[in-house]
Every structure is written in structure tokens, then in C-alpha cells.
Amino acid sequence: MSSQVPHLDANLAIALDALLAEQSVTRAAARLRTSPAAMSRTLARLRRVLQDPLLVRAGQAMVPTPRAEALRDEAAAVVRRLEALLTPSGGIDPAALRRTFTVQTSDLVGVALAPGLLGLARREAPGVSLRMPPEEWEAGPALREGRIDLEVGAIDHADPETRVEKLTTVRMAAGVRAGHPLAEGPLTPAGLAAAEHVVVSRRGRFTGPLDAALGERGLSRRVSVVLPGHLAAMALAAAGDVVCLVPAALPGEPPSPLSDAARALGLRLLEIPVPLPPVTIGMAWHPRHTADGAHRWLRDGVRRVLRPAREE
């Protein structure tokens, strides 16, 4: 024997709630911005569906039947749930969030991002936790499959459907310890090439844009070690005479939080005397999260941390 699913009309629940709350066809019509005639027709339909008069005339007023009295609270609750179901998710209360976000990023971006984002969470969304794995997953599939919520860094491999937003653009500076010979006078291309260098590469590569720029001048640098992370490279530079590359703000821009770790280690940042392409830092996410209120709070937090505010 087959069973039929009854036709459900959410508008009937909304009308029932208004009629039972107002106990007046005219007031219920005004509440729902419709005409009294249309509301009278809806009441007649409700009476047929529920097989109860619901509201009956008592002098100049209308009074609910016992069935209507029993339905009043339930009808109101159903309408509240419908409103919650159909309300855009952007209107969330950060203080009510209970969620763990996974943000994939490099060690340098992570150390710049984590303190500020954690501070925002403590003030605005104390139920939010952060997980920051290293750059071990290919971002496109990881975003698509939900293994990460957000990628933050130099986004150069996004899938076509991935949403990407630029956060900041930085230049590369030469980071050296205080007292390094290069810090004693103007830095020249020949002096930079002659110094000992540490290179950061997750793939173990010894060369990069700086080598190409020096090569155009007939120069080559000496790379003594390749490390997978920026923090290790900066720690090595702080402890000896090697040079590492450190992101810094563009001229005229506020200081970049991406330089904070280098400053904390006491590194001096020197202007590189050959032109290098700027580096754009952005964030990438899967479009299914675009309208999610919790994810919007996360993206806004990342913006506030990594986009330095100009002083008035």
C-alpha cells in the first residue's frame, strides 16, 4: 500500500500564528501585510484543514476554541523555527559560535596571524578554536573536501571554483643579525651576492627570484643551506652571518605583521639593491563557505590581522 506525503504550506502556519496571537482577522491581516478578505479566506482554509472553527464570534470580539488554545504555543514555535531556518547565515552572533577552524598557512604567516586571530577570538568568539597545519595539503582538493577551511599565504595554485581574496602585498628585504658586515654600509649587489645565504623552500630548491635578478648582473650568490620554513631560516640568520629573505611592507605602507618575527629575533632588514617582484598574500576558500556567517567572521578576522591599518 502506498502512502502519500501531505502537501505542506508554511504560509498556513504563519497565518495560524498571527490569527491566534491577534484573535482578530483585521489585526492578523495588518500584521502579515495582507487584506482582511485574504485573511478571512485563509482562516476558512485553516478551519477545513484542522476541522475546527479556531476563532468564534463572542459579541464584538473573536475568542479561540480549546483546540486553538492548545495550538497557540506550538504555532508560534513553528514560525520561530521557520524564521531561523530561512534567515541568512551571515547574521550570526560570534559570541555564540562553537567551532574549530582549520587554517593552512606557512610558518611565517602563521606566526603573524595566530596571535591576532586568537586575540580576536578571545574578545569576540570565545567558543572558537584554531588549528593551523603546515602547508602539507594541496589547497584546492583540501578546500573542496573540507579538510581545511581557509588557506592563507601566496595563493598561486587556486582551482577555478576557489574564491581568492588579496590581503596585502609585501616586498622582500635582506634579514641579517645586528653587527653583520652587510649592515655597516650601503648594500650593493656584489656585496649581497658575496654573502652566505639561507634559502627557504619546501621543495628543497636552491634558487629563486633573487638569483635571477643577480644573474642579470653577472652575479651569483652562495647558498649554504636550504630550510623548509622561514622561522628556522630567521633563527639561523640571527645566530650567525647568513642572510635570509624577510617580507616587509612596501614603501609608504604601515609596518607588516609578517616582519614581526624577524624584529623579535633582532634582525635588521636591509633594502635589496636589485629589483624583485612583490609578493601578494591572500586567502582562499571554497565557495560553499562564502555565505556562512561563522566563516565570514573568520575571513574578517584574517583581514583585520593581516591588513595593517593606516594611522590617521
Side-chain angles (χ1 to χ4, degrees):
M1 185 176 71
S2 64
S3 60
Q4 285 188 330
V5 178
H7 175 69
L8 301 177
D9 186 348
N11 289 323
L12 281 181
I14 296 170
L16 177 63
D17 175 51
L19 285 163
L20 298 184
E22 300 293 343
Q23 296 183 23
S24 163
V25 169
T26 301
R27 290 195 298 271
R31 176 171 170 171
L32 298 184
R33 298 181 181 179
T34 188
S35 68
M39 186 56 67
S40 291
R41 291 192 295 270
T42 301
L43 176 57
R45 184 180 173 194
L46 283 165
R47 286 167 168 165
R48 289 194 302 271
V49 169
L50 297 174
Q51 298 181 11
D52 188 272
L54 299 173
L55 294 173
V56 297
R57 181 71 58 186
Q60 296 299 314
M62 298 189 79
V63 295
T65 65
R67 178 78 190 282
E69 291 279 11
L71 289 175
R72 190 200 313 265
D73 292 342
E74 186 175 353
V78 166
V79 171
R80 286 196 299 270
R81 287 195 294 270
L82 283 171
E83 289 173 345
L85 178 66
L86 299 177
T87 297
S89 62
I92 56 100
D93 177 10
L97 284 179
R98 298 294 181 270
R99 188 155 164 182
T100 297
F101 291 111
T102 300
V103 181
Q104 179 169 280
T105 186
S106 69
D107 61 341
L108 183 60
V109 175
V111 80
L113 179 61
L117 199 55
L118 184 59
L120 287 175
R122 285 173 176 163
R123 293 192 299 273
E124 300 175 8
V128 164
S129 301
L130 301 173
R131 180 189 296 116
M132 291 189 169
E135 296 174 295
E136 57 188 1
W137 290 316
E138 187 178 346
L143 289 168
R144 189 184 312 118
E145 295 164 10
R147 286 178 286 163
I148 61 177
D149 295 295
L150 197 65
E151 183 190 18
V152 183
I155 312 295
D156 55 4
H157 50 266
D159 288 344
E161 78 270 19
T162 301
R163 302 292 178 88
V164 179
E165 178 182 327
K166 173 185 170 182
L167 294 168
T168 185
T169 300
V170 295
R171 61 188 173 91
M172 302 309 292
V176 298
R177 67 169 178 84
H180 190 287
L182 289 183
E184 295 177 357
L187 183 59
T188 64
L192 181 62
E196 187 178 1
H197 289 256
V198 54
V199 166
V200 176
S201 172
R202 290 189 295 123
R203 297 178 177 84
R205 295 173 179 169
F206 276 75
T207 59
L210 178 56
D211 299 279
L214 290 172
E216 292 178 356
R217 290 160 175 75
L219 300 169
S220 62
R221 61 174 175 163
R222 181 163 60 96
V223 176
S224 58
V225 60
V226 178
L227 294 175
H230 291 86
L231 294 181
M234 290 191 295
L236 187 63
D241 282 346
V242 297
V243 179
C244 69
L245 296 184
V246 177
L250 295 174
E253 293 293 319
S256 171
L258 297 174
S259 305
D260 289 350
R263 296 190 187 95
L265 287 167
L267 293 179
R268 292 192 57 186
L269 303 186
L270 309 178
E271 189 78 28
I272 292 178
V274 294
L276 292 180
V279 177
T280 297
I281 303 298
M283 59 180 169
W285 68 94
H286 193 271
R288 70 175 178 273
H289 293 307
T290 297
D292 176 54
H295 202 277
R296 289 172 63 182
W297 177 88
L298 172 66
R299 300 196 304 270
D300 182 62
V302 171
R303 291 185 197 102
R304 285 187 280 169
V305 172
L306 293 185
R307 284 180 178 166
R310 292 180 176 274
E311 295 183 2
E312 298 295 335

